Amino acid sequence: MLSRPFPLLSFILSPYNVSKDKHDCFILNSEGEILADVFTISNNLEGFSILLETIRSCTTLKDDIKVGLEATGHYSYNILGFLLDNGLTTYVMNPLRTNLYRKSLSLRKTKTDRVDARTIAAMLLSDMGLKPYTDTAYHNEELKSLTRYRFDKVKERAKLKSSVSRLVCILFPELEGLVLHLASVYALLEEFSGARQIADAHLTRLKTLLSETSRGRYGRDIAVEIRQAAKGSIGSTMPAKSMELQHTIRLIRELDAEIEEIEAAIQIMMDELNSPITTIPGISYRMGAMILAEVGDFSRFDSPDKLLAYAGMSPSTYQSGQLKNCYPHMEKRGSRYLRYALYNAAKYVCHWDPTFAAYLAKKQAEGKHYNVALSHAAKKLVRLIFALEKSRQPYCPAI
């Protein structure tokens, strides 16, 4: 007796801003029969309810329903949560993959939401080895949001620190030659935003300020040295630049407080996850959180090689006839945040773990550039992380 063909639901959310308020859907069964031609729903609870009712009207409780949607960042987050909450097996498609598949079906340059809806349905029907999106991956989005938010804040702070260096070169260039704690420099420049202001400052005030901000490390000698350097400075007296310097330092302090708050939230989530990734020497909870957040659910990957490909760290391959690529480059098509986290983590792991340090030295001894050798260490690190996450066992360094 033949079983009833299971229905497939194709769902597409347009990535364009003008279409962020609607979704185009398409339903067919495993025999290719159209159960519901392309229809549009609103991006609200009423539209989601209509979608669910349409699915139920085309199916029975025994049917194996598959839902596919194209990854479109934050636009697809709400509908994805709705589908998972209602127990529907959902597949999130890479837009690059759906685009290539659509082009393989026709030579015509036709790209619309309605066409994409049919394309995604065809991809589900073809059974291309797609892995369903899990609740673990969905709830992992919160950790991803925090780590990416921190990444952006740290990057913003780095730009502001560069601005401080630029302004100091104009207002008090001799200050860069003095070895001072960064917090002391910021406190000094926030109150005295130029060489002339420091030169005219009372020595007792300079000493007190430096002593408080350095926790007693700097005293009268440093205060005298700074004031003498200020009196002989070639720095310009520019009130506008001084104001910019003070405001920039205040913004840096605000970012410091925000980053500290974000990191505290990340620490709480990492404690709940209790991942063995932090047992690897050199990987802090911040870098470990970024790796875990970008990877998501490790069960989606059958092997470390697939995880490497997801990170865009696999070498590209090109061969045609007698032509072979002798110097393959990395694909770099995956998450840039994941590649950043893995490369930076590899640097610290190679510094703190003897096994990885020896591996890096071996690759360099083979004549590889440091960056190339580090990429090999990063791939080795991916294989280690994959094994730890699968076994849930802590890292045991080789003796």
Side-chain angles (χ1 to χ4, degrees):
M1 180 177 179
L2 296 176
S3 60
R4 185 177 186 273
F6 65 84
L8 297 172
L9 167 68
S10 171
F11 171 86
I12 177 64
L13 171 58
S14 173
Y16 305 110
N17 290 334
V18 295
S19 300
K20 67 180 180 181
D21 295 328
K22 57 99 176 177
H23 311 303
D24 295 308
C25 312
F26 180 67
I27 305 177
L28 76 163
N29 61 23
S30 58
E31 299 298 321
E33 178 186 354
I34 297 176
L35 303 180
D37 206 348
V38 179
F39 60 97
T40 302
I41 62 168
S42 301
N43 186 26
N44 51 37
L45 185 58
E46 181 182 358
F48 292 176
S49 299
I50 293 174
L51 174 62
L52 189 59
E53 291 174 3
T54 306
I55 295 174
R56 288 173 176 171
S57 66
C58 298
T59 63
T60 66
L61 295 176
K62 296 181 179 180
D63 290 329
D64 179 19
I65 303 173
K66 295 182 180 180
V67 184
L69 62 92
E70 192 175 61
T72 52
H74 63 280
Y75 290 133
S76 59
Y77 192 74
N78 293 331
I79 186 64
L80 177 59
F82 177 82
L83 294 169
L84 293 174
D85 289 341
N86 283 277
L88 296 172
T89 304
T90 307
Y91 297 78
V92 179
M93 314 282 192
N94 188 322
L96 178 62
R97 193 171 186 180
T98 57
N99 184 45
L100 293 175
Y101 189 81
R102 173 177 50 80
K103 290 180 178 179
S104 69
L105 297 177
S106 173
L107 295 178
R108 298 183 62 187
K109 293 184 178 181
T110 305
K111 172 68 173 73
T112 66
D113 292 343
R114 297 173 67 87
V115 171
D116 284 345
R118 291 175 176 269
T119 301
I120 292 176
M123 289 180 68
L124 285 175
L125 192 61
S126 64
D127 191 19
M128 301 174 59
L130 302 171
K131 294 292 183 67
Y133 202 82
T134 63
D135 287 327
T136 301
Y138 179 76
H139 294 297
N140 192 66
E141 289 292 331
E142 186 172 358
L143 182 60
K144 183 189 291 186
S145 297
L146 283 175
T147 54
R148 289 190 176 186
Y149 186 46
R150 178 189 175 275
F151 179 88
D152 293 337
K153 288 293 182 181
V154 171
K155 192 174 181 180
E156 183 180 351
R157 183 178 62 181
K159 289 182 179 180
L160 291 176
K161 287 183 177 181
S162 297
S163 296
V164 170
S165 298
R166 172 179 58 84
L167 293 169
V168 169
C169 284
I170 298 173
L171 299 171
F172 189 8
E174 293 78 9
L175 185 61
E176 293 185 341
L178 303 175
V179 180
L180 292 173
H181 191 270
L182 193 60
S184 301
V185 172
Y186 285 172
L188 177 67
L189 294 175
E190 191 173 12
E191 184 168 341
F192 308 103
S193 56
R196 178 168 296 182
Q197 291 90 330
I198 295 175
D200 295 339
H202 197 282
L203 185 60
T204 303
R205 177 54 192 156
L206 283 178
K207 173 194 169 185
T208 302
L209 178 64
L210 292 171
S211 179
E212 289 176 352
T213 55
S214 66
R215 297 180 180 179
R217 181 177 178 180
Y218 304 135
R220 179 183 175 84
D221 295 340
I222 295 295
V224 171
E225 185 179 358
I226 291 175
R227 195 168 72 163
Q228 289 298 326
K231 288 181 178 180
S233 175
I234 60 171
S236 303
T237 302
M238 303 177 66
K241 295 295 183 184
S242 296
M243 180 184 294
E244 182 182 351
L245 177 62
Q246 290 177 323
H247 289 183
T248 303
I249 293 174
R250 289 172 194 168
L251 289 174
I252 291 174
R253 293 189 186 280
E254 291 176 5
L255 283 173
D256 285 338
E258 291 174 0
I259 291 172
E260 185 177 349
E261 186 177 353
I262 296 168
E263 290 177 350
I266 292 174
Q267 178 72 72
I268 292 173
M269 297 187 69
M270 286 297 289
D271 290 341
E272 294 175 353
L273 290 174
N274 193 27
S275 171
I277 193 174
T278 53
T279 62
I280 302 174
I283 296 186
S284 66
Y285 73 93
R286 293 182 293 269
M287 199 61 68
M290 196 168 192
I291 294 172
L292 294 179
E294 294 300 324
V295 173
D297 190 355
F298 278 82
S299 65
R300 296 186 299 154
F301 305 98
D302 297 328
S303 66
D305 290 338
K306 291 189 177 181
L307 180 55
L308 280 169
Y310 178 76
M313 297 174 64
S314 297
S316 58
T317 304
Y318 184 84
Q319 186 273 330
S320 179
Q322 300 297 322
L323 177 64
K324 293 184 180 180
N325 54 338
C326 300
Y327 302 99
H329 297 282
M330 237 176 242
E331 291 180 346
K332 292 187 179 181
R333 281 190 170 181
S335 168
R336 64 186 180 94
Y337 297 98
L338 180 56
R339 283 196 302 277
Y340 165 83
L342 289 171
Y343 269 98
N344 278 272
K347 289 180 183 178
Y348 290 105
V349 172
C350 288
H351 177 76
W352 291 103
D353 185 77
T355 303
F356 276 85
Y359 184 77
L360 180 66
K362 174 188 173 185
K363 291 300 178 181
Q364 288 185 283
E366 292 174 359
K368 291 179 170 54
H369 187 275
Y370 172 77
N371 290 336
V372 177
L374 186 63
S375 70
H376 285 275
K379 293 174 183 178
K380 180 180 176 67
L381 180 61
V382 168
R383 292 190 287 270
L384 173 61
I385 293 173
F386 184 85
L388 293 182
E389 288 295 326
K390 287 289 186 179
S391 65
R392 301 302 297 176
Q393 297 297 318
Y395 174 63
C396 295
I399 300 176

